[in-house]
Amino acid sequence: MATKRTPSNLLGSKVCILLCILSIGDMSCTAEESSKYRSGLQYAFYKHSCPRAELIVHQVVRSAVEKEARMAASLLRLHFHDCFVQGCDGSLLLKTVPGVIESEQDAAPNLNSVRGFDVVDSMKAALERECPGVVSCADILAMAARDSVGLGGGPRYSVLLGRRDSRTANKALANKNLPGFSFNVSDLVANFANVGLSAHDMVVLSGGHTIGKAGCDKFAERLTVNPKDPAPLDPSYRKYLSQLCPEGANTAADVNLDVKTPIRFDNAYYSNLLKNRGLLHSDQVLYSTQGFSHDQVLLYAHSNRAWFTDFVKSITKMGSLSPITAYNEGEIRKKCGYVNP
Ligand code: HEM
Ligand SMILES: *[C@@H]1O[C@H](CO)[C@@H](O)[C@H](O)[C@H]1NC(C)=O
């Protein structure tokens, strides 16, 4: 691709140079590489318009996580489910308004499952008090995800900001784009490719399941021994799970996704997979299916550092999926659940 020095190219290469300094981007700062970050997002976007924005989000996340450790997981998942549906635009947060908005929260992968909206609302309220009409809900999700990762002991990283909020939601697209827990590796690869993420990103970001919980209905099928299952559970782990879900899929319980260190953001997610202790089918297949994903799981199981480095790159890429950045598009919502009147 021929590269002209337009202002946006200049911005792209600056961002790339910064990424290189932080060594979270690709080390070779070619025009091609810098173009990957030419999403219009910036580090320290609120430096002048709302200098304490990142601090305020951090404080709210910290107190919410102190109250309930799982909230870190729930907030991280919100950013993921936002970005996979028409980009990181806060669309997930919109509530149903009959005839106007069909909430993505009612799509199958989200229904009775995504949580943390009260915490998002209190971050938004605190930010509106500090600097009204400045910080978008989409950026709140990106910042809260970053803080949740860090508070759990994960990598600390600078987060790209400057997203604006959508005035639409798309429930049908949420049903189509969000991955299913019964997916095999090829389904997962296709699902991530559909939004512009690679197979490599898919394995890296699946490690998000190092924190948080899943309902019994998401893995009950795996509790019955099936000789044809390409990704069977470790028998002792299966017995343990059967005790936690005595009524199978009808048990209203949530079970830790990472059996070893459930609230620590670490590579135990990957080392569990080596012992067939991945809770969801979509987790275990990454190791049980021979090929690139198996090899990548092995690498991360043995190197927390390698996973952290790759996680920062992949979540930055996920956070840059089709943001709204043009000043005449989208808006800065006053309340995250509703478009501005
Ligand atoms: C690879 C495909 C993925 C599938 C099939 C998947 C599926 C699921 C399912 C079924 C649950 C349990 C929901 C419930 O029982 O209510 C869950 C929870 C969770 N997912 Fe994923 N997920 C995937 C990728 C990701 C990614 C990329 C992230 C973030 C980087 C992520 C973060 C989480 C977190 C943190 C939780 C726990 C949430 C909580 O405890 O509130 N997942 N996921
Ligand atoms: C993965 O699952 C899909 C159905 O979701 C199926 O068509 C495909 O053959 C499976 N691929 C492998 C490699 O098992």
Side-chain angles (χ1 to χ4, degrees):
M1 195 178 87
T3 313
K4 275 184 278 169
R5 282 268 154 193
T6 62
S8 80
N9 282 341
L10 273 172
L11 175 64
S13 50
K14 273 186 200 157
V15 166
C16 183
I17 289 161
L18 181 58
L19 286 168
C20 286
I21 292 165
L22 298 171
S23 74
I24 59 180
D26 297 83
M27 295 307 283
S28 55
C29 269
T30 62
E32 242 89 7
E33 292 303 327
S34 71
S35 73
K36 277 201 268 180
Y37 300 100
R38 216 175 291 140
S39 58
L41 301 178
Q42 302 170 28
Y43 294 102
F45 181 80
Y46 296 111
K47 190 172 179 195
H48 302 293
S49 57
C50 193
R52 290 180 356 114
E54 297 197 43
L55 179 68
I56 288 169
V57 169
H58 185 80
Q59 284 169 343
V60 177
V61 173
R62 200 182 52 201
S63 73
V65 171
E66 274 168 11
K67 229 191 272 168
E68 187 205 12
R70 184 186 181 183
M71 191 48 68
S74 305
L75 292 171
L76 172 59
R77 189 169 183 233
L78 288 185
H79 181 46
F80 159 50
H81 281 208
D82 181 31
C83 293
F84 265 53
V85 184
Q86 64 183 26
C88 312
D89 61 355
S91 59
L92 169 64
L93 302 172
L94 292 175
K95 307 280 183 201
T96 292
V97 175
V100 187
I101 301 280
E102 261 195 297
S103 180
E104 292 171 15
Q105 295 169 27
D106 297 331
N110 288 330
L111 190 63
N112 301 322
S113 177
V114 279
R115 60 199 292 282
F117 298 106
D118 293 351
V119 178
V120 174
D121 287 347
S122 44
M123 293 188 256
K124 181 61 180 174
L127 288 165
E128 287 299 299
R129 283 193 296 273
E130 172 89 4
C131 19
V134 171
V135 182
S136 69
C137 298
D139 276 350
I140 290 176
L141 293 184
M143 290 186 268
R146 182 271 304 270
D147 293 336
S148 295
V149 167
L151 284 167
R156 295 175 184 269
Y157 58 94
S158 311
V159 66
L160 285 168
L161 298 169
R163 301 165 189 80
R164 295 169 63 78
D165 297 322
S166 69
R167 295 181 54 85
T168 60
N170 193 333
K171 179 180 161 185
L173 196 64
N175 275 313
K176 178 177 172 278
N177 282 11
L178 294 169
F181 52 80
S182 310
F183 280 13
N184 59 31
V185 173
S186 24
D187 298 328
L188 290 166
V189 170
N191 177 274
F192 275 61
N194 176 53
V195 297
L197 295 177
S198 68
H200 181 268
D201 295 321
M202 185 275 291
V203 178
V204 173
L205 292 170
S206 292
H209 290 175
T210 179
I211 53 174
K213 291 167 182 272
C216 295
D217 56 320
K218 312 299 190 304
F219 55 87
E221 214 173 83
R222 314 186 68 218
L223 301 177
T224 6
V225 180
N226 170 8
K228 285 188 194 148
D229 187 348
L233 289 172
D234 159 43
S236 70
Y237 182 52
R238 177 164 38 74
K239 281 188 197 113
Y240 163 80
L241 293 175
S242 303
Q243 284 165 5
L244 297 176
C245 305
E247 314 293 324
N250 297 321
T251 318
D254 291 313
V255 175
N256 292 327
L257 281 154
D258 172 358
V259 65
K260 193 154 172 256
T261 52
I263 61 168
R264 244 198 111 66
F265 200 94
D266 61 10
N267 64 342
Y269 168 81
Y270 296 100
S271 51
N272 291 335
L273 299 181
L274 271 50
K275 297 178 177 164
N276 297 325
R277 292 179 188 166
L279 185 62
L280 305 177
H281 177 79
S282 56
D283 294 321
Q284 191 58 52
V285 287
L286 299 178
Y287 183 70
S288 301
T289 309
Q290 287 307 312
F292 78 95
S293 65
H294 174 97
D295 300 344
Q296 214 179 321
V297 168
L298 268 178
L299 168 70
Y300 298 148
H302 293 118
S303 173
N304 200 50
R305 180 197 280 258
W307 178 51
F308 277 11
T309 305
D310 288 355
F311 186 84
V312 172
K313 288 186 207 171
S314 292
I315 198 166
T316 301
K317 206 169 147 190
M318 184 183 87
S320 308
L321 293 174
S322 2
I324 303 172
T325 52
Y327 74 96
N328 56 345
E329 287 171 30
E331 63 182 18
I332 306 299
R333 277 182 220 145
K334 301 219 169 299
K335 291 193 169 165
C336 291
Y338 299 94
V339 300
N340 294 340

